[in-house]
Amino acid sequence: MIPFNKPHLTGKEAHYMYQAVYNGKLSGNGEFTKRCQRWFEQRYGFRKTLLATSGTDALEMCAMLCDLKPGDEVIIPSYTFVSTALAFLREGAKVVFADSMKRNPNIDAELLESLITSRTRVIAPVHYAGVACDMDAIMAVAEKHNLLVVEDAAQAIDSYYQSPITNHQSPLGSIGHLAAFSFHETKNITAGGEGGLLVVNDERFVRRAEILWEKGTNRAEFFRGEVNKYGWVDMGSSFLPSEVNAAFLWAQLENLDDIQAKRRALWETYYKQLAPLAEQGHFSMPDLPDYATNNAHMFYLVFPDYEKRTAFIKYLKEHGVGAVFHYLSLHSSEYYHTRHDGRALPECDRYADCLVRLPLFYDLSLDEVAYITNTIREFYAA
Ligand SMILES: *Cc1c(COP(=O)(O)O)cnc(C)c1O
């Protein structure tokens, strides 16, 4: 069976974890944590980064930093992982679900104006499959209505938005006021199974982010010698990962360019091999707008209907290939449907019914991709 995903080891993880263990400081905010954070800040120009125990936790910190009041509204796409919604719901906000675009599963920026009310505070776009949302449009709406933008960049490491207005290329996660990345084992790089990163781009949130991160204390300032004692100054929680996880992540960061090059080669092979079948109308291929780069997080296909997708997944499974679908529309979920305002979100439902993800991970071989694409050709020849 070719699995859908397999976490990749660069070879240095155990070495750095051993170092972390024998450094004698295992709790968070040690040498490896600082090394990882500096790396992100230098490579991508993020104003301030804090490692977190998961992408979900990083999103929760974003939501806490937005300082929402009961009844405040947050606009998020319905086609996303539950964490995007949960983070804001936990803060007492009302989640207003937006539909996806026709061309790809990202939030449809043209619909945003129609969803904004006097209570709207935040827009949280999700860069699905690491493909940029239409950030110029989203930031313009946010500026006009004085809203915060939280990028769910969980899938978007090392991916960019190229502004058609300024031609400037910005790393995803650097455009909104706040952003969250995930290092779960299903993402391009992992911190040993679970991990995340909070990105603070707006100076106003830097100090409070560090305090929330350090369980509501100003301990980080104390360790930098900026205050002579530390105490409880705000809300907070335990968002810091252990140094063991940071050490694991460091081994992956050192090899990011190699990981990305390999994933792109696999992605492009899929694309080339499957394009003729897409041209025959069997399914549509991943969509990359001119303003987006490809970080090869995911290779997905979109089928004409639910039955065709189901038959496709079944055939691949019978031939030893683990293809999966995902994201049931959050607006019609068991937990939230009674609180949703009843608007139909047809594009979101279409992706929930018709999208399939093919295996894509570092240790997948080009031979295996050839086997998978041949199997798909046979399915349509039969
Ligand atoms: C993976 C993911 C998350 C959650 O990240 P975890 O690290 O698993 O908590 C949130 N949003 C999106 C879009 C994701 O893909």
Side-chain angles (χ1 to χ4, degrees), residues 21-22 139 195 217 220 222 224 341 361:
V21 169
Y22 285 92
M139 297 310 291
T217 73
F222 172 73
R224 282 196 298 264
D341 53 30
F361 50 90

Side-chain angles (χ1 to χ4, degrees), residues 54-56 59 80-81 83-84 126 152 154-155 182 184 187 195 327:
S54 66
T56 303
L59 283 166
T80 181
F81 191 59
S83 301
T84 324
V126 177
D152 181 339
Q155 305 175 3
S182 167
H184 185 264
K187 306 301 201 276
Y327 298 159

Side-chain angles (χ1 to χ4, degrees), residues 75-78 98-115 123 125-126 133-134 137-138 141 291 347:
I75 300 173
I76 74 167
S78 181
D99 207 359
S100 298
M101 291 190 283
K102 246 192 180 62
R103 64 180 298 180
N104 75 35
N106 282 338
I107 193 166
D108 189 342
E110 287 180 16
L111 297 175
L112 288 175
E113 286 277 2
S114 69
L115 301 177
I123 307 171
V126 177
C133 294
D134 185 352
I138 293 169
V141 171
Y291 53 72
E347 296 305 328

Side-chain angles (χ1 to χ4, degrees), residues 281-332:
H282 294 302
F283 44 69
S284 55
M285 303 286 269
D287 167 68
L288 278 164
D290 289 340
Y291 53 72
T293 64
N294 180 20
N295 75 342
H297 172 59
M298 191 192 298
F299 194 90
Y300 69 86
L301 300 171
V302 184
F303 287 78
D305 59 47
Y306 177 80
E307 286 70 31
K308 291 198 173 77
R309 180 184 77 173
T310 306
F312 178 87
I313 292 176
K314 181 162 169 280
Y315 185 85
L316 286 190
K317 193 171 171 204
E318 286 163 2
H319 291 79
V321 178
V324 300
F325 63 85
H326 73 162
Y327 298 159
L328 301 172
S329 305
L330 292 181
H331 69 281
S332 46

